[in-house]
Amino acid sequence: KYTKFSIYYYWINSLDQKIPISARSEDVPIPSGEENKTAALSYDYKIMPLENTSSTGTYYCQVKWNDIQKMGKGVFVLIRDTGYINTSYGWEILVTLTVLLAILSITATALLLWKRK
């Protein structure tokens, strides 16, 4: 009953549309003496090529037996254009703020000392 099954690969894009990628049927023979035992089989699938940034989304694998369906949790893939540079200014902002506070602190100290004289 469970030796014949189908594997479906699809992705859900940013518009929540389910887009099929590939499907295949499997018929796995059971070796003699292995009946009524649990088996785990691995199937790798490469999604190539990812054409452009619109291919960003969550990719899923689903297996269907006669009356049973099992779906994976999905893998989110973020695709960026060639030459993309991640623009994170966190470190620069921290250094700028530290320098600014240091300058204000020195200026305030100098003004206090100047007023005392």
Side-chain angles (χ1 to χ4, degrees):
K1 179 179 178 178
Y2 298 108
T3 60
K4 292 182 181 183
F5 54 92
S6 297
I7 303 172
Y8 300 92
Y9 299 96
Y10 63 91
W11 67 288
I12 296 179
N13 65 13
S14 59
L15 303 173
D16 281 337
Q17 297 169 320
K18 184 176 177 179
I19 300 168
I21 298 171
S22 174
R24 65 194 243 191
S25 294
E26 293 290 332
D27 188 1
V28 180
I30 300 174
S32 181
E34 296 294 315
E35 298 89 357
N36 296 323
K37 290 186 180 178
T38 300
L41 302 172
S42 245
Y43 293 92
D44 292 333
Y45 184 79
K46 287 187 179 183
I47 302 168
M48 295 295 280
L50 297 172
E51 292 91 16
N52 53 41
T53 56
S54 65
S55 298
T56 293
T58 306
Y59 289 75
Y60 293 92
C61 172
Q62 183 176 30
V63 179
K64 291 183 182 180
W65 288 271
N66 292 335
D67 55 348
I68 299 173
Q69 295 182 43
K70 294 289 180 180
M71 188 172 77
K73 295 178 182 177
V75 174
F76 180 77
V77 178
L78 175 61
I79 299 164
R80 296 179 173 163
D81 284 333
T82 304
Y84 176 83
I85 298 171
N86 194 1
T87 54
S88 173
Y89 298 107
W91 188 251
E92 290 87 352
I93 291 171
L94 181 63
V95 170
T96 303
L97 185 61
T98 303
V99 169
L100 183 62
L101 289 174
I103 290 171
L104 289 173
S105 177
I106 292 168
T107 304
T109 304
L111 286 173
L112 285 173
L113 291 175
W114 180 63
K115 282 221 172 208
R116 276 193 174 174
K117 291 182 181 184

